[in-house]
Amino acid sequence: MQKFLLSKILLSTLLHLYLKETFGQSLEVTDTTQDGISSVAEQSTSSAGLPASAKAATIAVVTTAAAATRDTTAGSRIPTQSTTASPVAVPSTKQVIMPVRFPGDEAAEDQAVAREISNREDVGSGGSDTLTIEKTEEASACAASVLERREFVLQNNLTQLGVRSAVQFEETLLIFTIIFVSAMAIAGVYKYVQSSFYEEDESLDSTFDAGGNVGSGITASTLVSQWTWAATLLQSSSVGAAFGISGPYWYAAGATIQVLLMAIVAYYLKLHAPGAKTFLQIIRARFGSRTHIIVMVFALFTNIIVTLSLLLGGTAVLTGLVDGLSPEFASMLLVVLVGGFTLIGGLGATFYVSYFTCAAIYALIVVFVLEVFYNPFDNVKNPFHGAGGLFQYISCWPGPEGNQEGTWLTFYSSGGLIFGIVNIVGNFGAVFVDQAYWQSAVATKPRRAVWGFLAGGMTWFAVPFGLATTMSLGYHGLSSAQGESMLQPGEISRGLVVPLVSEALLGKLGGYATIVMVLTAVMSTGSAEIIAVASIIIYDIYIPYIKPFKTHLAKGYCILCEKPLRSSSELDVTCSCPSMEECSACIKDDEARNAVDHIVKPIFQCPIHAEYRDYESAVINFKSWAIIYCTLSIIPVLWPAVIFGEAIGLDLGWIYLFTGVLVASAVIPVYLSLVWTKTTSSGVSLGSLLGAVCALIAWMTHASTYEGGLSNFMANTGKSLPMMTGNVVAIVAGGLICAVVSYYTKNEADDEELQQWNSTRDIDNPLRPWTQLYKVEFDLKPTGRWHDRPPLQMFEEVFRTEKRIAYWFGGGISIFMVLVWPLLMLESVVQDQGRFLTWTGVSQAWTYCASLYIICVPLVEEVREVYGQYKLKKQDEAISVVKPFVN
């Protein structure tokens, strides 16, 4: 019964806000903080002339007798520090109201607030978006230390408004150079390890699967680095600055469950298509070219959106922190950083560099956590002196209207709940339709893939949860310490909370730390996106459509000899081609080529594999150009958004929420393609396309109900409720249409499960078939035929435990994060100091444990792997030396 009541509270809160925003009802809301600080009544649309769809939630900012002489022009964000001019006294019967808005609402609301200001005679300096109303009571609930700090800031002109450009251009170039050189060195280490201990050649597949046996620790660190966008570091804290303690949690939980559930997807990928290098190859093998092209468009759109998010976030931070750095040059630095080492090392170098970036990011997060909650070095810029002091500052700093009792310290937040729904739905598209995350599953075996995704999800949770909780609470505490918000809503939406707090507390060192975090995040995620797009270009565009090895080759036939792989009758002559490893002619070719040191090598002589090896060499040459093309294409495709984004209102908040509207309709069709034998080509195609059309229509229709309609496109479409509508419609409509159409168009004659998955298990490289990776697991012996593989039932039996782990842990933890944990948090309406210390303690503990795992486990695991390979190589060398004497 208690859980039912808690669920009812969540749904009623969401419905209340939905009706209010959609139908423009004038609802009078009175918010009283726990300590009885303030009471705010929302103005009626008829009396204020302010439509409900565009109103900013106004919250009474606590004032004191010492703050009665504050400069009323301080709301303008032009100066970065208050001047020494005589302040304008504010009557003690007034108080300042700061608008609290959802990301994307700024333009329309600024216009509405401007109209409201023009109707008031007691407004301060023009150009400020602050309102003044009658104060209901004196702000007497703040602790004495808080009041003293505000007076100290006022008297010493220490008010900070906006991010200061504390880092010089030359210093930024030095940081960039150090990171770039370090990445190059790590890529070189990877190349050395592979060539010295694993003796792997420069094959096409090794570029995109890193050998296919990556450890679970490296897989986890790679997933963390790929999923740690610039938006993760920046936007998660912006959400906390907008909604309070619920914001970081909903960001973290809403984006963690997709990685956890990808453990299930990774298992099925390895079960049904162990040789696939992209998930789009499975679509093409099952459903043909038409459906393949449709889903590929969705995948490429996802890559473009993610890369755009990286550039916008990185550019915003660099231009905000670095003095004299233009957006054009900042984005060019990011492009060079991303493309440089990706070209050298391929996916393997990305795995190694991902560990380096993860270690740096987690170490810096720990530094921020220690500084905000403990102030271990008695930093004079830090007014909190511990978590208890931080609570004192935040508890008397008013929160947004949508939060219960107008406080930041509550999970009863309608805005946070809406963001959580949008975040959950939208991130399914950003993960399930992004080849970068499938790449991690491609590069390892089922057991390591499942544990890698589970560990990656649990450790990544600490990035937005730990960092955003720390930085957003630090932001509110610092704002309370000076009695005025340090950022405008538009600046918060641009992701400037992290750079502001780091710079305010740590000065120039904080600026350095933020730049390092953003550059490493952009580098690792950007390189993963480039590898993902390059793999799509190679395996899904160039090989099947532009330069296929064999044209008009039917399914189930050998690409080398064009004979059937499986016999359908006793008269069939099946393929008997060996793999390159079992071919004596190929061994002689390799010996002859290895004996030559110069660039020109002897041609391949093998009568079976020579032609295909020449073809693969040509594709390898094109691979390098494909990576270069992908890197350079960022400039003409994405630069306009970077340069003109601010002018049109395009920011991280809008992009982040829009992702699901555009691509989430393909999530369920892609998943069903991997697990359901009855899925059809028509179901996947129509589900993806019509789901996206329905989502866009619902999104824009809802946005058109706000003032200005679609003529005020960026502001109205960026509101939370239209974004929620579009995201939910996308994933629900796409899944329903796919399931229904597939059910009515399924081919009864083709309903055998084995026949369904033979086409996907045939995705393979005849030179190095995927069975070579599973010799130990299945005790495979040489058969002389490259396509001989263990049956599907044996594969399921061997990896049955991994399937159960993926479902129980991936599904169970996901349910706990999005349902059980939030319901438990509704036990208290507003956190007192004890609950606040417990909550922040949980975020700190999670951060410390995740940092310990991500820094230590991948390193130990990889050193152990390399040392084991080194011992095997020494044993082989010893055997080769002894053999001549034995003979």
Side-chain angles (χ1 to χ4, degrees):
M1 177 62 70
Q2 194 173 27
K3 289 185 178 181
F4 171 76
L5 291 176
L6 292 174
S7 302
K8 186 176 180 181
I9 292 173
L10 280 173
L11 293 174
S12 62
T13 303
L14 181 61
L15 180 62
H16 171 83
L17 187 63
Y18 184 89
L19 291 173
K20 175 184 171 183
E21 293 291 334
T22 303
F23 300 105
Q25 296 178 358
S26 176
L27 303 176
E28 184 170 285
V29 180
T30 301
D31 288 338
T32 306
T33 62
Q34 190 177 20
D35 297 318
I37 296 174
S38 61
S39 178
V40 181
E42 184 178 274
Q43 300 296 319
S44 171
T45 56
S46 58
S47 61
L50 190 61
S53 61
K55 281 189 301 184
T58 57
I59 302 299
V61 174
V62 176
T63 59
T64 67
T69 59
R70 293 191 58 82
D71 187 350
T72 57
T73 63
S76 174
R77 292 316 193 256
I78 296 175
T80 59
Q81 185 171 332
S82 61
T83 63
T84 58
S86 299
V88 179
V90 180
S92 60
T93 58
K94 306 293 181 183
Q95 72 176 134
V96 178
I97 303 301
M98 294 297 299
V100 181
R101 317 170 194 177
F102 296 122
D105 294 353
E106 294 82 34
E109 294 178 358
D110 284 346
Q111 296 172 7
V113 171
R115 290 195 299 271
E116 180 69 12
I117 290 176
S118 65
N119 295 328
R120 296 178 182 266
E121 298 178 354
D122 53 353
V123 179
S125 175
S128 171
D129 62 355
T130 59
L131 304 177
T132 56
I133 65 169
E134 294 293 330
K135 186 169 69 171
T136 58
E137 60 183 68
E138 290 295 330
S140 58
C142 286
S145 59
V146 177
L147 303 181
E148 291 173 1
R149 179 70 183 189
R150 292 177 182 173
E151 183 176 3
F152 174 80
V153 171
L154 178 66
Q155 292 178 351
N156 292 275
N157 298 317
L158 298 177
T159 301
Q160 179 176 346
L161 303 172
V163 180
R164 297 167 178 165
S165 298
V167 182
Q168 299 301 312
F169 179 74
E170 295 79 8
E171 297 169 333
T172 303
L173 285 182
L174 179 61
I175 295 174
F176 170 85
T177 303
I178 292 174
I179 293 176
F180 185 81
V181 171
S182 300
M184 294 296 101
I186 294 172
V189 169
Y190 168 78
K191 302 289 286 185
Y192 172 77
V193 168
Q194 295 300 308
S195 60
S196 300
F197 300 111
Y198 292 90
E199 297 182 352
E200 292 186 359
D201 58 354
E202 292 289 336
S203 65
L204 176 66
D205 291 343
S206 65
T207 302
F208 297 102
D209 67 5
N213 195 23
V214 175
S216 58
I218 291 292
T219 300
S221 65
T222 302
L223 287 168
V224 170
S225 67
Q226 290 173 348
W227 204 206
T228 304
W229 303 356
T232 304
L233 301 173
L234 305 176
Q235 195 65 18
S236 58
S237 297
S238 297
V239 174
F243 306 124
I245 61 169
S246 67
Y249 178 81
W250 281 120
Y251 193 108
T256 296
I257 63 172
Q258 293 80 7
V259 179
L260 297 174
L261 294 176
M262 271 295 291
I264 302 174
V265 176
Y267 164 79
Y268 280 108
L269 171 68
K270 289 301 182 181
L271 173 67
H272 292 147
K277 298 298 178 286
T278 71
F279 76 95
L280 296 170
Q281 287 181 289
I282 302 173
I283 303 294
R284 183 171 182 269
R286 285 200 65 184
F287 309 122
S289 298
R290 182 190 64 182
T291 305
H292 175 246
I293 293 174
I294 291 173
V295 178
M296 182 166 55
V297 170
F298 280 88
L300 293 175
F301 269 129
T302 304
N303 295 126
I304 292 173
I305 292 174
V306 172
T307 309
L308 178 59
S309 174
L310 296 176
L311 282 182
L312 282 178
T315 302
V317 171
L318 291 178
T319 55
L321 284 175
V322 181
D323 186 25
L325 184 62
S326 66
E328 297 84 354
F329 192 78
S331 58
M332 178 60 74
L333 285 178
L334 298 177
V335 171
V336 173
L337 182 66
V338 168
F341 81 91
T342 307
L343 179 62
I344 293 178
L347 183 63
T350 301
F351 278 114
Y352 271 40
V353 176
S354 294
Y355 167 76
F356 161 72
T357 59
C358 278
I361 289 173
Y362 275 86
L364 292 173
I365 291 176
V366 170
V367 170
F368 291 139
V369 169
L370 294 175
E371 174 60 35
V372 171
F373 290 113
Y374 298 98
N375 191 12
F377 301 107
D378 295 325
N379 181 8
V380 295
K381 295 182 179 180
N382 187 339
F384 311 135
H385 306 293
L390 178 61
F391 173 81
Q392 297 297 329
Y393 280 92
I394 298 176
S395 61
C396 68
W397 185 243
E401 179 189 280
N403 285 19
Q404 189 73 20
E405 300 189 14
T407 176
W408 302 104
L409 304 176
T410 180
F411 243 75
Y412 285 81
S413 172
S414 56
L417 179 61
I418 291 175
F419 173 81
I421 296 173
V422 176
N423 194 42
I424 291 171
V425 177
N427 282 320
F428 272 105
V431 172
F432 279 56
V433 195
D434 190 344
Q435 170 59 26
Y437 302 97
W438 294 80
Q439 212 83 45
S440 296
V442 166
T444 188
K445 294 182 180 179
R447 183 171 292 112
R448 293 180 171 185
V450 169
W451 284 113
F453 275 94
L454 293 177
M458 297 300 290
T459 51
W460 182 86
F461 183 85
V463 176
F465 186 44
L467 177 67
T469 297
T470 300
M471 303 307 269
S472 62
L473 292 179
Y475 168 74
H476 293 309
L478 290 172
S479 295
S480 178
Q482 70 176 22
E484 184 170 1
S485 296
M486 303 177 75
L487 293 173
Q488 290 180 330
E491 294 171 322
I492 292 176
S493 186
R494 288 171 55 201
L496 297 183
V497 173
V498 172
L500 177 114
V501 175
S502 62
E503 184 267 336
L505 293 179
L506 300 176
K508 186 170 286 190
L509 290 177
Y512 294 157
T514 303
I515 291 174
V516 170
M517 287 179 63
V518 171
L519 286 180
T520 52
V522 171
M523 181 177 63
S524 58
T525 308
S527 64
E529 293 301 316
I530 288 178
I531 290 292
V533 174
S535 64
I536 292 175
I537 292 175
I538 294 293
Y539 289 102
D540 296 290
I541 298 177
Y542 188 80
I543 290 178
Y545 300 121
I546 299 177
K547 293 289 184 181
F549 179 67
K550 294 284 180 68
T551 58
H552 310 296
L553 183 70
K555 289 183 180 180
Y557 283 77
C558 176
I559 196 172
L560 299 176
C561 64
E562 301 187 37
K563 294 179 181 178
L565 298 175
R566 292 167 294 275
S567 61
S568 57
S569 66
E570 295 181 357
L571 299 178
D572 286 343
V573 178
T574 59
C575 168
S576 60
C577 298
S579 66
M580 191 174 69
E581 185 182 59
E582 299 175 357
C583 178
S584 58
C586 286
I587 295 175
K588 291 180 180 179
D589 283 344
D590 290 338
E591 291 175 350
R593 292 169 67 87
N594 291 334
V596 178
D597 294 330
H598 51 77
I599 297 177
V600 180
K601 302 286 186 180
I603 63 173
F604 296 110
Q605 301 289 337
C606 176
I608 300 174
H609 301 104
E611 187 178 359
Y612 192 84
R613 296 187 73 175
D614 286 333
Y615 173 76
E616 188 182 67
S617 298
V619 177
I620 290 174
N621 292 331
F622 176 75
K623 173 262 300 182
S624 300
W625 287 105
I627 294 176
I628 294 175
Y629 294 152
C630 292
T631 304
L632 295 179
S633 65
I634 296 175
I635 299 173
V637 173
L638 300 177
W639 254 18
V642 174
I643 297 172
F644 303 110
E646 186 173 355
I648 64 176
L650 183 67
D651 56 31
L652 273 178
W654 196 95
I655 294 174
Y656 187 82
L657 298 175
F658 176 69
T659 304
V661 178
L662 187 62
V663 302
S665 60
V667 170
I668 295 180
V670 168
Y671 176 74
L672 294 179
S673 301
L674 196 61
V675 302
W676 194 32
T677 57
K678 293 181 174 62
T679 310
T680 64
S681 173
S682 299
V684 174
S685 300
L686 293 177
S688 301
L689 288 175
L690 295 183
V693 171
C694 292
L696 291 171
I697 291 175
W699 171 57
M700 288 191 286
T701 299
H702 195 158
S704 67
T705 62
Y706 293 90
E707 183 184 15
L710 295 181
S711 60
N712 196 7
F713 186 83
M714 297 302 298
N716 288 341
T717 58
K719 293 181 183 295
S720 297
L721 287 175
M723 285 292 190
M724 183 185 73
T725 301
N727 275 270
V728 173
V729 169
I731 197 166
V732 172
L736 284 176
I737 293 172
C738 177
V740 172
V741 173
S742 294
Y743 180 81
Y744 284 103
T745 59
K746 65 180 183 296
N747 186 359
E748 297 293 347
D750 196 27
D751 201 32
E752 260 324 300
E753 182 176 358
L754 185 59
Q755 294 179 1
Q756 285 290 317
W757 302 124
N758 272 340
S759 59
T760 59
R761 285 162 60 86
D762 287 343
I763 302 172
D764 209 350
N765 186 334
L767 303 180
R768 305 168 194 84
W770 58 261
T771 52
Q772 292 181 359
L773 292 173
Y774 296 90
K775 291 179 180 180
V776 175
E777 289 85 349
F778 298 103
D779 192 24
L780 300 178
K781 306 299 182 183
T783 63
R785 296 191 299 180
W786 70 267
H787 55 85
D788 282 345
R789 56 182 68 105
L792 184 65
Q793 293 79 4
M794 182 183 293
F795 211 100
E796 290 179 316
E797 184 65 30
V798 170
F799 296 108
R800 186 181 302 276
T801 302
E802 283 66 37
K803 179 181 179 180
R804 292 173 179 171
I805 291 173
Y807 272 102
W808 280 101
F809 284 89
I813 296 174
S814 297
I815 293 174
F816 178 80
M817 282 187 170
V818 301
L819 184 61
V820 179
W821 192 341
L823 289 176
L824 293 175
M825 292 302 300
L826 298 182
E827 171 266 337
S828 63
V829 177
V830 178
Q831 290 184 352
D832 56 20
Q833 183 165 340
R835 289 184 173 89
F836 175 81
L837 295 178
T838 302
W839 177 255
T840 55
V842 170
S843 72
Q844 293 172 52
W846 205 305
T847 301
Y848 300 146
C849 293
S851 301
L852 185 65
Y853 177 92
I854 216 68
I855 293 174
C856 297
V857 173
L859 181 62
V860 172
E861 186 180 77
E862 188 65 15
V863 169
R864 187 178 60 186
E865 290 276 348
V866 173
Y867 180 70
Q869 191 66 29
Y870 169 77
K871 290 172 60 177
L872 289 176
K873 184 178 180 181
K874 288 297 183 181
Q875 291 175 3
D876 293 340
E877 291 176 352
I879 293 173
S880 64
V881 171
V882 171
K883 275 185 177 180
F885 296 95
V886 175
N887 293 333

